[in-house]
Amino acid sequence: LDEAAMADARDLQSRLTKPPGALGVLEELSVRLAGLAGRCPPPSPEPAAVAVFAADHGVHAQGVSPWPQEVTAQMVANFLAGGAVVNAFAAQVGAEVTVVDVGVAAPLAPAPGLLPRKIAPGTADLTRGPAMAPEQARRAMETGIEVARELVAAGNRCLVTGDMGIANTTASAALIAAFTGLPPERVTGRGTGIDDAAHAHKIEVVRAALARHGLAPAESAVIGAGGGPAGESVTVAADPMRVLAAVGGLEHAALAGFILGGAAARVPVVLDGVIAGAAALVAAALCPDVLGACVAGHRSAEPGHAAALEHLRLRPLVDLELRLGEGTGALLALPLVQSAVRVLHEVATFDSAGVSDKNGGR
Amino acid sequence: LDEAAMADARDLQSRLTKPPGALGVLEELSVRLAGLAGRCPPPSPEPAAVAVFAADHGVHAQGVSPWPQEVTAQMVANFLAGGAVVNAFAAQVGAEVTVVDVGVAAPLAPAPGLLPRKIAPGTADLTRGPAMAPEQARRAMETGIEVARELVAAGNRCLVTGDMGIANTTASAALIAAFTGLPPERVTGRGTGIDDAAHAHKIEVVRAALARHGLAPAESAVIGAGGGPAGESVTVAADPMRVLAAVGGLEHAALAGFILGGAAARVPVVLDGVIAGAAALVAAALCPDVLGACVAGHRSAEPGHAAALEHLRLRPLVDLELRLGEGTGALLALPLVQSAVRVLHEVATFDSAGVSDKNGGR
């Protein structure tokens, strides 16, 4: 982040016709985005594009979701037909929707708005072995970088993360446990809606996966799941790609790349829910500076999402108990991000508007 | 609220291509707005208009704000020139800004976008007598009703509250203390930004005003400020117009009318911060049903605002430590309200999209 541009933004905010600090979190955000762009005011984050990365998950075989796996492909068709919530929310805020197939199990027919970038027809079952080969994780990540680059080259000035993949909250929980060191029961939620028994089962699946891959957090390590906590966190931090390949999804890998690509282009990346939060942990482990470009669009109802945001020290803009994914929470936050920047472009200063300053000065 | 329309909305939400309940607070909001409109889907809350009610306050003489009173008129000029934050946020979300002079101390020249509806050149000092004559409060309220009616007649399908008035957080605190029964120190904030000493003074001003008008809450009553707590709350509930005239502002009266007018037209009214919250307490005391039309746009940094929302049982959509007023927080929430309704209009059902339901059904 460019310190000079941030200082300029702070100075400008103090001269605008409003009490200093009165825009709260949005004022800090505008300063950060000036730092990201390296100038004040930063470019308006419009137009915006949401990329919905779709993939399937081998862990679906463990019964972690009540939804059949075919729903991933069916929802992709729904996105392309404009019938999903992500389409409605994108239309509301004027964002473009692109769907990227990085790993849907079913073959998908070519369609406008669909980028065919399938790395594999879904991941392997992470409870039985690595979800991805290292090469698959790397290629999926490169795909995400490339999609970010293409969307920026097409003129977009804000990227929004989206995702679709039945069972992807399970992989997210495993990633979040591994990167935050929190126990599975703290980061595993009910996803699209499961009962207590199914939830308990899902937690055990995550726990088994972590143990299988030597990623068990400190709390589990005590009961014999592997090395000590210090050793674990060194491993995780030292080789985030191994963790990603072991328990992540193809869309997590692509989203991590999308975040890296957006940050490299100095374009804000508005993060959606728990899947994006897990991917941001991967991206930040590879390159902590990417967080300067990350805007937490919302906090979802998934406990792992709150844990990821806390770990990343990102404050969500919207907090309405959403748990849908697709990019919907991030799209709700988009006008807030755009409004924060618009202030720096359009609001008059005390001097220019002839408004008396606090304590009667000019 | 129309129960049949709400049942229809709940049923429709359950058939849309998303997990049931996955839109959290927005799902409940869409159901309520269907109930307000009496049909499902309810009309899209677009276009939206923000009405900024501007007025001055006699209590300014007590030194409750570091800003000179002339700033009210100067900011009105800034609104009309398009240079304030409310203009930038309204432009972002496509809302129209109307400024209503219900009580600015200075004479204002006619201008496009300004409705001249001055009831008085500001209120009287509420620490020395009633802020308004009963007739003034009534006329200001009727003005608000009329403005709501005119904006709806002009085709607006969503109303957004805005306000401007140096010292109006003091009057808001007094209203909120009177209607919630909370002590002044719980509901009096720092407004546009004051230090500890000024804050303590502001609290004492509010306390004195409540005592002067026999509105002291239970906690203060103990130390001799008037009748018992039961008697007080009966008085407040029985005669909200008297409370409004005693300690409110002309913009509070107009905003209460604006809320009543919007609710009567069955149009959602998105409330901004602490001034709107205080006005909503008045409106709800006169007619509890108006709350069905009220959407809490945000929760501001003012403690009295949180208290008012809790009392009204309204959940804010945005919570970003804003403390600017003007309608800015409500405008940030507008796309969220519009998105919530858009879902009912545009999202495909499981049947229509050919997506398998949870547990594999159709």
Side-chain angles (χ1 to χ4, degrees):
Chain A
L1 297 178
D2 184 315
E3 289 294 341
M6 291 174 74
D8 285 351
R10 275 189 209 99
D11 174 64
L12 178 54
Q13 283 283 8
S14 75
R15 291 183 290 116
L16 299 179
T17 45
K18 59 171 187 53
L23 288 174
V25 173
L26 296 188
E27 212 156 312
E28 300 158 28
L29 178 60
S30 76
V31 170
R32 180 151 67 89
L33 295 183
L36 177 67
R39 58 192 168 98
C40 174
S44 178
E46 301 182 50
V50 54
V52 184
F53 293 91
D56 276 305
H57 295 264
V59 71
H60 185 269
Q62 298 298 323
V64 288
S65 171
W67 299 78
Q69 191 170 57
E70 68 202 32
V71 169
T72 302
Q74 290 169 346
M75 283 302 295
V76 166
N78 198 18
F79 300 150
L80 295 170
V85 178
V86 68
N87 303 101
F89 283 13
Q92 183 64 46
V93 299
E96 183 201 355
V97 179
T98 298
V99 184
V100 189
D101 173 11
V102 285
V104 179
L108 300 180
L114 174 66
L115 294 181
R117 301 284 187 274
K118 203 191 297 278
I119 309 294
T123 52
D125 183 349
L126 53 82
T127 62
R128 310 177 66 140
M132 294 176 270
E135 173 66 9
Q136 291 176 325
R138 197 181 55 72
R139 281 177 51 215
M141 189 174 285
E142 284 171 0
T143 299
I145 295 173
E146 199 53 48
V147 170
R149 191 164 9 203
E150 284 167 18
L151 288 173
V152 172
N156 290 291
R157 291 297 167 263
C158 186
L159 300 178
V160 178
T161 76
D163 58 84
M164 179 68 219
I166 297 300
N168 65 7
T169 58
T170 301
S172 298
L175 286 171
I176 293 167
F179 282 101
T180 64
L182 290 168
E185 63 273 20
R186 284 279 306 281
V187 299
T188 307
R190 290 165 190 270
T192 49
I194 49 177
D195 64 18
D196 286 351
H199 185 214
H201 171 62
K202 186 173 168 182
I203 291 169
E204 290 315 311
V205 167
V206 172
R207 197 188 312 279
L210 294 170
R212 174 89 175 68
H213 299 287
L215 298 170
E219 288 82 347
S220 311
V222 177
I223 53 166
E232 301 295 1
S233 49
V234 167
T235 308
V236 170
D239 198 352
M241 289 303 289
R242 186 184 80 78
V243 179
L244 172 64
V247 299
L250 289 154
E251 76 273 53
H252 293 98
L255 281 164
F258 188 67
I259 292 165
L260 290 164
R266 301 199 153 269
V267 163
V269 182
V270 185
L271 305 178
D272 191 37
V274 69
I275 287 80
L281 287 170
V282 176
L286 290 168
C287 174
D289 283 353
V290 299
L291 290 174
C294 291
V295 178
H298 82 130
R299 173 163 50 200
S300 82
E302 282 285 297
H305 190 209
L309 293 178
E310 235 168 86
H311 192 82
L312 295 167
R313 299 183 190 198
L314 294 174
R315 172 165 175 161
L317 296 178
V318 170
D319 190 1
L320 297 173
E321 295 169 36
L322 270 64
R323 50 181 173 80
L324 177 53
E326 301 179 4
T328 50
L331 285 167
L332 291 175
L334 183 62
L336 279 63
V337 180
Q338 292 169 336
S339 293
V341 173
R342 188 179 276 259
V343 166
L344 294 176
H345 284 269
E346 296 185 2
V347 174
T349 60
F350 284 104
D351 267 353
S352 72
V355 174
S356 304
D357 206 342
K358 197 166 161 176
N359 305 317
R362 283 278 165 113
Chain B
L1 297 180
D2 185 314
E3 290 293 341
M6 290 175 75
D8 285 351
R10 275 190 209 98
D11 174 64
L12 177 55
Q13 282 283 8
S14 75
R15 290 183 291 115
L16 299 178
T17 45
K18 60 170 187 54
L23 288 174
V25 173
L26 296 187
E27 213 156 312
E28 299 157 29
L29 177 60
S30 76
V31 170
R32 180 151 69 88
L33 295 182
L36 177 67
R39 59 192 167 100
C40 175
S44 177
E46 301 183 49
V50 53
V52 184
F53 293 91
D56 276 305
H57 296 264
V59 71
H60 185 269
Q62 298 298 323
V64 289
S65 171
W67 299 78
Q69 191 170 58
E70 68 201 32
V71 168
T72 302
Q74 290 169 347
M75 284 302 295
V76 166
N78 198 19
F79 300 150
L80 296 170
V85 178
V86 67
N87 302 102
F89 283 12
Q92 183 65 46
V93 300
E96 183 200 357
V97 179
T98 298
V99 184
V100 189
D101 173 11
V102 286
V104 178
L108 300 181
L114 174 67
L115 294 180
R117 301 283 186 274
K118 203 190 298 280
I119 307 295
T123 53
D125 183 349
L126 53 82
T127 63
R128 310 178 66 142
M132 294 175 271
E135 173 67 9
Q136 290 176 325
R138 198 182 54 73
R139 281 178 50 215
M141 188 173 285
E142 284 171 0
T143 299
I145 294 173
E146 201 51 48
V147 170
R149 191 164 9 202
E150 284 167 18
L151 288 174
V152 172
N156 290 292
R157 291 297 167 262
C158 186
L159 300 179
V160 178
T161 76
D163 59 85
M164 180 68 219
I166 296 299
N168 65 6
T169 59
T170 301
S172 298
L175 286 171
I176 293 167
F179 283 100
T180 64
L182 290 169
E185 62 273 19
R186 281 280 307 281
V187 299
T188 307
R190 291 165 189 269
T192 49
I194 48 177
D195 63 18
D196 286 351
H199 185 215
H201 171 62
K202 186 172 168 182
I203 291 170
E204 289 316 309
V205 167
V206 172
R207 196 187 314 279
L210 294 169
R212 174 88 176 67
H213 299 286
L215 299 170
E219 288 81 346
S220 311
V222 177
I223 52 167
E232 301 296 0
S233 50
V234 167
T235 308
V236 170
D239 198 352
M241 289 303 289
R242 186 183 80 79
V243 179
L244 172 64
V247 298
L250 289 155
E251 77 273 53
H252 292 100
L255 280 164
F258 188 68
I259 293 165
L260 290 164
R266 301 201 153 268
V267 163
V269 182
V270 185
L271 306 178
D272 191 36
V274 69
I275 287 82
L281 287 169
V282 177
L286 290 168
C287 174
D289 283 354
V290 300
L291 291 174
C294 291
V295 178
H298 82 130
R299 173 161 52 199
S300 81
E302 282 286 297
H305 191 209
L309 293 179
E310 234 168 87
H311 192 82
L312 296 167
R313 298 182 192 200
L314 294 175
R315 172 164 175 161
L317 296 178
V318 169
D319 190 1
L320 297 173
E321 294 168 36
L322 268 66
R323 49 181 174 80
L324 178 53
E326 302 179 2
T328 51
L331 285 168
L332 291 176
L334 182 61
L336 280 63
V337 180
Q338 292 168 336
S339 294
V341 173
R342 190 179 275 259
V343 166
L344 294 176
H345 285 269
E346 296 185 2
V347 174
T349 60
F350 284 105
D351 268 353
S352 72
V355 174
S356 304
D357 206 343
K358 198 168 163 175
N359 304 318
R362 282 278 165 112

